[in-house]
């Protein structure tokens, strides 16, 4: 199966935005926006957020980013960055649209288990190893960092 063309162009991926409580970065956007615009808005409001994400991963893995003998690992941050923001905004939107339901943040622990996203990655032609721990771990850490920065509580 060939993935749809919009998977390779973030501006063609449109998403709903939280209807009530939003971080100021998202206030200039309408009820929905392309993922490119959402990522740009988050990055403009938090220019250091991606670096904080990378630093948190290094700390979690007990590695020193400033080590001159280190290998400069990116920890998949660049590859999953748009997906992290998409997860945060989508789950925050779902939580606000269904206030009487269980908050959706719990899906992260099951969805990012090693191997779980493999079928989805295959569908979109991703070269990431979805069977390994790295992708799920990186997504999970990133969602927590970005959600906190945008004022969403994932611990409900």
């Amino acid at each position: 199966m060939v993935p749809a063309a919009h998977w390779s162009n973030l501006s063609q991926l449109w998403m709903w935005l939280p209807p009530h409580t939003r971080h100021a970065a998202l206030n200039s956007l309408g009820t929905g926006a392309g993922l490119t615009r959402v990522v740009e808005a988050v990055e403009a409001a938090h220019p250091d957020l991606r670096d904080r994400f990378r630093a948190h991963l290094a700390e979690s893995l007990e590695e020193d980013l400033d080590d001159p003998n280190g290998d400069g690992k990116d920890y998949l941050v660049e590859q999953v960055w748009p997906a992290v923001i998409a997860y945060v905004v989508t789950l925050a939107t779902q939580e606000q649209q269904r206030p009487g339901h269980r908050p959706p943040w719990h899906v992260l622990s099951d969805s990012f288990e090693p191997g779980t996203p493999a079928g989805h990655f295959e569908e979109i032609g991703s070269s990431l190893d979805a069977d390994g721990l790295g992708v799920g771990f990186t997504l999970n850490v990133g969602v927590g960092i970005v959600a906190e920065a945008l004022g969403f509580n994932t611990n409900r």
Side-chain angles (χ1 to χ4, degrees):
M1 169 182 260
V2 176
H6 65 265
W7 285 109
S8 62
N9 184 344
L10 296 181
S11 64
Q12 292 184 18
L13 296 173
W14 191 88
M15 57 195 307
W16 290 106
L17 297 176
H20 305 295
T21 305
R22 289 189 197 177
H23 184 277
L26 303 175
N27 282 342
S28 67
L29 304 173
T31 57
L35 183 54
T36 298
R37 292 208 46 223
V38 174
V39 170
E40 290 169 352
V42 170
E43 289 177 333
H46 298 280
D48 67 330
L49 190 56
R50 199 182 317 206
D51 290 334
R52 287 191 315 197
F53 173 23
R54 191 175 287 107
H56 188 83
L57 282 167
E59 182 182 317
S60 296
L61 297 170
E62 298 179 351
E63 296 183 8
D64 183 3
L65 282 176
D66 297 324
D67 180 359
N69 298 319
D71 58 6
K73 287 183 180 177
D74 182 56
Y75 307 108
L76 302 173
V77 169
E78 292 304 315
Q79 292 166 294
V80 302
W81 181 244
V84 166
I85 292 174
Y87 271 109
V88 170
V89 172
T90 300
L91 293 173
T93 300
Q94 182 180 1
E95 180 177 35
Q96 289 183 26
Q97 289 179 328
R98 299 178 176 182
H101 291 82
R102 178 179 180 191
W105 303 99
H106 72 280
V107 303
L108 299 176
S109 60
D110 294 335
S111 297
F112 297 152
E113 287 295 316
T116 303
H120 302 294
F121 284 20
E122 186 178 307
E123 289 282 327
I124 63 171
S126 174
S127 62
L128 293 175
D129 175 15
D131 291 315
L133 175 64
V135 175
F137 177 75
T138 301
L139 284 168
N140 203 17
V141 169
V143 166
I145 297 290
V146 172
E148 181 181 327
L150 298 182
F152 301 118
N153 183 359
T154 63
N155 297 317
R156 294 184 210 166

Short mmCIF file of all heavy atoms in Angstrom, two decimals, residues 16 42 64 69 82 93 101 129 131 141 153:
data_model
loop_
_atom_site.label_atom_id
_atom_site.label_comp_id
_atom_site.label_asym_id
_atom_site.label_seq_id
_atom_site.Cartn_x
_atom_site.Cartn_y
_atom_site.Cartn_z
N TRP A 16 -7.97 19.70 14.48
CA TRP A 16 -8.78 20.53 15.35
C TRP A 16 -7.90 21.04 16.49
O TRP A 16 -6.99 20.36 16.94
CB TRP A 16 -9.93 19.74 15.96
CG TRP A 16 -11.00 19.35 15.00
CD1 TRP A 16 -11.23 18.11 14.49
CD2 TRP A 16 -11.99 20.20 14.43
NE1 TRP A 16 -12.29 18.14 13.64
CE2 TRP A 16 -12.78 19.41 13.58
CE3 TRP A 16 -12.28 21.55 14.54
CZ2 TRP A 16 -13.84 19.93 12.86
CZ3 TRP A 16 -13.34 22.08 13.82
CH2 TRP A 16 -14.11 21.27 12.99
N VAL A 42 3.87 26.83 18.06
CA VAL A 42 4.45 26.31 19.31
C VAL A 42 5.92 26.70 19.39
O VAL A 42 6.42 27.16 20.42
CB VAL A 42 4.26 24.78 19.42
CG1 VAL A 42 5.08 24.20 20.57
CG2 VAL A 42 2.78 24.45 19.59
N ASP A 64 25.34 12.78 28.79
CA ASP A 64 25.71 14.18 28.84
C ASP A 64 25.74 14.74 27.42
O ASP A 64 26.60 14.35 26.62
CB ASP A 64 27.06 14.33 29.53
CG ASP A 64 27.50 15.78 29.69
OD1 ASP A 64 26.73 16.69 29.31
OD2 ASP A 64 28.62 15.99 30.19
N ASN A 69 33.19 13.79 23.96
CA ASN A 69 33.38 12.45 23.42
C ASN A 69 32.06 11.77 23.05
O ASN A 69 32.05 10.64 22.60
CB ASN A 69 34.13 11.56 24.42
CG ASN A 69 35.51 12.10 24.71
OD1 ASN A 69 36.20 12.55 23.81
ND2 ASN A 69 35.89 12.10 25.97
N PRO A 82 7.13 16.86 14.95
CA PRO A 82 5.75 17.22 14.56
C PRO A 82 4.71 16.26 15.15
O PRO A 82 3.62 16.68 15.53
CB PRO A 82 5.76 17.13 13.03
CG PRO A 82 7.19 17.24 12.64
CD PRO A 82 7.97 16.63 13.77
N THR A 93 -7.44 18.59 22.71
CA THR A 93 -8.71 18.90 22.06
C THR A 93 -9.76 17.87 22.44
O THR A 93 -10.89 18.23 22.82
CB THR A 93 -8.53 18.94 20.53
OG1 THR A 93 -7.57 19.95 20.21
CG2 THR A 93 -9.85 19.24 19.83
N HIS A 101 -15.93 12.43 29.92
CA HIS A 101 -15.24 11.16 29.68
C HIS A 101 -13.88 11.13 30.38
O HIS A 101 -13.36 12.16 30.79
CB HIS A 101 -15.02 10.95 28.18
CG HIS A 101 -16.28 10.70 27.43
ND1 HIS A 101 -17.12 11.72 27.01
CD2 HIS A 101 -16.85 9.55 27.02
CE1 HIS A 101 -18.15 11.20 26.37
NE2 HIS A 101 -18.01 9.88 26.36
N ASP A 129 12.24 2.53 13.29
CA ASP A 129 12.08 1.18 13.83
C ASP A 129 11.03 1.21 14.94
O ASP A 129 11.34 1.49 16.09
CB ASP A 129 13.41 0.66 14.38
CG ASP A 129 13.28 -0.69 15.06
OD1 ASP A 129 12.25 -1.37 14.87
OD2 ASP A 129 14.22 -1.07 15.78
N ASP A 131 9.48 -1.19 16.22
CA ASP A 131 9.52 -2.35 17.11
C ASP A 131 10.47 -2.13 18.28
O ASP A 131 10.40 -2.82 19.29
CB ASP A 131 9.95 -3.60 16.34
CG ASP A 131 8.87 -4.03 15.36
OD1 ASP A 131 7.69 -4.05 15.75
OD2 ASP A 131 9.22 -4.32 14.20
N VAL A 141 8.11 10.78 26.13
CA VAL A 141 8.81 11.86 26.82
C VAL A 141 8.45 13.20 26.19
O VAL A 141 8.15 14.17 26.88
CB VAL A 141 10.34 11.63 26.80
CG1 VAL A 141 11.09 12.87 27.26
CG2 VAL A 141 10.71 10.44 27.67
N ASN A 153 -2.45 19.18 31.47
CA ASN A 153 -2.11 18.22 32.52
C ASN A 153 -2.36 16.81 32.02
O ASN A 153 -3.49 16.41 31.82
CB ASN A 153 -2.94 18.50 33.77
CG ASN A 153 -2.59 17.58 34.92
OD1 ASN A 153 -1.74 16.71 34.81
ND2 ASN A 153 -3.25 17.80 36.04
#
